[in-house]
Amino acid sequence: MVSSTPENKKRKIKATKASPARTVAAEIHHSDEAILNTSGEPDSNTKTFKELGLSSALQNAIAKLGLPGLSSLQQNVIPALIAGKDIVVVSGQSDDTMLSFLIPAVSLLEKHRFNPRHGVGVIVLAPSRELAVEIFELASELLSGTKFTAGMVMEGSNRTSEEKKLEKGVNLLVATPKRFLEHLRETTSLVVKNTKGLYIYEATKFSEGGFEQDIKELANLLPKKGRSTAVFGSELTDELEGLSELVCQQETVHRYDEAPLRSGNTLGPQGYVLVEPENRLLLLISFLKTFRSKKIIVRCSSTSAAIFYSEMLNVAEVPNYAVHVQQNRKNRLSTYSQFLEDEQGTLICTEEVIRGLRIPPVDWNIQFDPPRSTSEYLKQTRLIEGRSVVFLQPMEAQFMENLSKTANITVEEFNFPKKKLVKIQPLIEKSVTKIYGLNTMAKDGFRAYLQEYNIHAEPKFFDSTTLDVAKLAKSFGFPIPPRVNVRRAEEAAPVDKIKRPYGPERIQNGKKRKIQ
């Protein structure tokens, strides 16, 4: 992170005739008249990145990514955002979609000549830690070779470390709503008055995470004048429309609904297997050993869980490939390429990562963690051609009944005899106890599983009040549940509250401040 003198709200910068220096406002608004080289309308006929008129530094960063040219989505969205338009986009999650707002983000910073002391020029909001990390990683690659700084704030990260980075100056900020709102209220070194771009990614997921009230507050606190805003969602929903009405200028907003690159596979019978919570991991290991010669994808609900499952499979001598957002982009693509080249093998992945990949046909498509919603399960499953099976606890069986009714598809239950489960529970618990790194992974995975469950979009099928936490902990190698912090969705409150169900309440202190 580039160091600079932090913005001081009591200090005023003045330009005099004797000094060539300009005020911050003058630097920020310099060359506003040069925003467009044409009539002012986005040019959807642009085919290459070179035609966008980007800087050499930005073009070099794009070239390093190995992109062949503009996708149909990028042809429409990038020129509109560079031109300062507000836009609502319906598009699937992928690197193409992320680049369609990150390239204009860097271009905006260049156009307005940002430096660290100007504070935040572009804000990208993501609904989850995993997506925030993925966006930040791609943004950092685009900013290589430029003077601009990037930062990320999200739940689960060290607040003090985040504050120090914000104090040094962050031009492109990737954030989850709740943590960003906390910093807006309490971190005096965070400067947002010069913000020129607000991009909201996967907008339809904000309601699932209980972030509606946070978004409303952010919309009121952030400056609106001279700001380009984009809202991205995977499908046109009331939530997407409502969010766009909240943050976009409706009289000038552009809309782009991307025709799906593929309509998805026709869903055949959907299989499921009922398993007690303490036997989940044992059943997965048994299943993968039984079908060792097959090509299999295992979908997880969180990065932390995926990392633990992958490492535990290695302990159980089940070879596997893992792709998740904690890997850098190069390693993630390299690992995925190895899986593609292998005639057999198991891929452990998160639902966020898999949306950005082109998946070949597989023998088995396993939904290991609870699906986030019926619609989400159907979308994810259509992306992958292969026999589908969902791992469910007995109390979750109604999910499949509902799936059959709402989607009008056949469901079938698979029986895996309990006597055929591998007898390695002692090995799992011993490994988690003795190996510090694996213990940390297990605890993170356990916490992530509980959090996904507690804020589930369909609690009538996945009810946290009936979840046997003690038995579930055994599937993560814990004879006794560890203390973890999880978010609970409170029916009486419009905003999620952070609680410590296995420890004392966390006291959050902080002084409110005037937003800069």
Side-chain angles (χ1 to χ4, degrees):
M1 188 72 68
V2 178
S3 298
S4 67
T5 304
E7 187 82 11
N8 189 315
K9 60 184 177 182
K10 294 183 179 180
R11 187 180 112 226
K12 294 184 178 179
I13 303 174
K14 297 182 179 180
T16 64
K17 293 182 179 180
S19 172
R22 288 186 291 231
T23 64
V24 172
E27 291 186 47
I28 294 297
H29 294 291
H30 180 69
S31 72
D32 272 354
E33 67 280 0
I35 193 168
L36 295 173
N37 295 322
T38 59
S39 61
E41 291 301 316
D43 182 10
S44 60
N45 294 320
T46 304
K47 302 295 183 185
T48 66
F49 289 103
K50 188 175 182 180
E51 293 177 64
L52 293 171
L54 305 174
S55 69
S56 58
L58 184 50
Q59 288 193 50
N60 289 339
I62 292 172
K64 290 179 181 178
L65 295 176
L67 304 174
L70 292 166
S71 66
S72 175
L73 168 71
Q74 292 167 347
Q75 290 175 31
N76 287 273
V77 175
I78 292 179
L81 291 181
I82 289 179
K85 306 293 183 180
D86 283 6
I87 186 167
V88 178
V89 181
V90 179
S91 172
Q93 181 183 317
S94 67
D95 283 357
D96 281 354
T97 306
M98 293 181 190
L99 286 168
S100 70
F101 61 81
L102 288 176
I103 289 174
V106 180
S107 182
L108 274 177
L109 296 177
E110 291 176 333
K111 172 185 171 293
H112 295 292
R113 301 184 181 183
F114 266 82
N115 63 47
R117 70 187 177 89
H118 292 150
V120 180
V122 176
I123 299 164
V124 181
L125 295 180
S128 68
R129 286 172 49 88
E130 290 80 7
L131 284 177
V133 171
E134 194 170 355
I135 294 168
F136 176 76
E137 186 179 278
L138 191 54
S140 298
E141 293 188 57
L142 288 177
L143 289 174
S144 62
T146 73
K147 65 178 181 179
F148 308 115
T149 56
M152 177 170 56
V153 297
M154 59 186 183
E155 289 88 345
S157 297
N158 186 283
R159 272 285 299 271
T160 302
S161 177
E162 290 178 350
E163 289 173 1
K164 289 180 180 179
K165 290 181 180 179
L166 293 172
E167 184 176 349
K168 292 179 180 179
V170 170
N171 298 141
L172 194 159
L173 181 64
V174 182
T176 53
K178 189 174 296 292
R179 178 55 65 87
F180 183 42
L181 188 58
E182 290 175 6
H183 280 294
L184 272 177
R185 290 168 172 164
E186 302 170 12
T187 305
T188 58
S189 57
L190 174 59
V191 179
V192 297
K193 64 182 179 183
N194 298 317
T195 300
K196 294 298 176 183
L198 172 63
Y199 306 137
I200 301 176
Y201 187 55
E202 281 293 305
T204 48
K205 291 188 175 299
F206 284 95
S207 60
E208 295 177 12
F211 296 126
E212 302 100 319
Q213 188 62 33
D214 297 323
I215 295 294
K216 289 179 182 178
E217 292 188 48
L218 288 172
N220 291 328
L221 293 174
L222 294 173
K224 300 177 178 63
K225 186 176 180 181
R227 186 189 77 198
S228 171
T229 305
V231 180
F232 293 80
S234 56
E235 56 183 334
L236 188 61
T237 62
D238 292 339
E239 290 84 357
L240 181 65
E241 286 292 336
L243 186 54
S244 67
E245 291 175 4
L246 184 66
V247 298
C248 295
Q249 300 181 40
Q250 292 302 302
E251 62 275 11
T252 59
V253 69
H254 291 249
R255 297 178 183 275
Y256 180 71
D257 192 343
E258 182 186 34
L261 296 177
R262 51 181 177 170
S263 58
N265 302 298
T266 301
L267 290 178
Q270 298 297 295
Y272 69 97
V273 58
L274 299 181
V275 56
E276 294 296 334
E278 67 270 27
N279 292 330
R280 292 180 70 253
L281 187 55
L282 294 178
L283 178 56
L284 178 64
I285 294 171
S286 303
F287 190 100
L288 296 180
K289 285 192 171 187
T290 301
F291 296 100
R292 188 185 294 269
S293 63
K294 302 296 184 180
K295 208 168 183 69
I296 302 172
I297 286 181
V298 180
R299 290 148 48 191
C300 310
S301 61
S302 70
T303 297
S304 298
I307 292 173
F308 169 70
Y309 298 147
S310 176
E311 290 299 321
M312 204 64 246
L313 288 175
N314 290 332
V315 171
E317 298 182 348
V318 179
N320 67 92
Y321 302 94
V323 291
H324 49 78
V325 296
Q326 286 192 18
Q327 299 163 317
N328 62 47
R329 189 170 180 272
K330 183 178 179 180
N331 289 341
R332 187 164 62 242
L333 293 178
S334 175
T335 301
Y336 184 63
S337 296
Q338 294 175 40
F339 170 72
L340 293 180
E341 294 169 2
D342 200 340
E343 294 183 359
Q344 61 191 38
T346 298
L347 178 71
I348 309 295
C349 61
T350 59
E351 296 177 353
E352 283 80 9
V353 167
I354 205 171
R355 292 192 191 99
L357 301 175
R358 297 292 180 260
I359 308 295
V362 296
D363 297 296
W364 288 100
N365 173 19
I366 298 175
Q367 175 74 51
F368 186 53
D369 290 337
R372 287 178 175 170
S373 67
T374 302
S375 61
E376 185 71 14
Y377 171 78
L378 292 171
K379 283 191 296 181
Q380 291 280 325
T381 304
R382 284 194 175 97
L383 294 177
I384 306 170
E385 182 180 345
R387 198 172 185 184
S388 298
V389 59
V390 188
F391 282 44
L392 294 172
Q393 298 177 44
M395 68 177 189
E396 301 165 347
Q398 287 186 342
F399 172 80
M400 297 305 293
E401 297 176 14
N402 178 70
L403 183 69
S404 177
K405 293 177 183 178
T406 57
N408 194 27
I409 57 177
T410 302
V411 299
E412 53 184 356
E413 181 178 358
F414 299 151
N415 292 313
F416 200 101
K418 188 174 182 180
K419 64 181 180 180
K420 290 189 177 181
L421 292 177
V422 291
K423 313 297 183 185
I424 61 169
Q425 184 64 29
L427 172 64
I428 293 174
E429 294 184 9
K430 181 179 179 181
S431 300
V432 170
T433 301
K434 298 293 185 181
I435 305 172
Y436 175 78
L438 191 59
N439 182 277
T440 301
M441 294 176 192
K443 188 176 292 185
D444 290 342
F446 179 60
R447 174 174 51 243
Y449 187 98
L450 289 177
Q451 182 155 301
E452 289 287 339
Y453 217 97
N454 286 345
I455 62 173
H456 202 282
E458 296 177 340
K460 59 183 177 181
F461 307 128
F462 302 94
D463 185 357
S464 61
T465 63
T466 61
L467 182 64
D468 192 325
V469 176
K471 288 184 177 181
L472 177 68
K474 291 183 179 180
S475 71
F476 288 89
F478 296 111
I480 300 174
R483 290 185 177 183
V484 292
N485 304 332
V486 297
R487 182 189 306 138
R488 287 188 180 275
E490 301 291 343
E491 292 183 358
V495 184
D496 291 345
K497 295 183 178 181
I498 304 300
K499 288 191 174 181
R500 292 169 58 90
Y502 308 114
E505 290 281 337
R506 174 189 293 173
I507 301 174
Q508 295 183 349
N509 295 322
K511 297 179 179 179
K512 291 188 177 182
R513 68 178 185 89
K514 182 179 178 181
I515 303 301
Q516 296 193 62

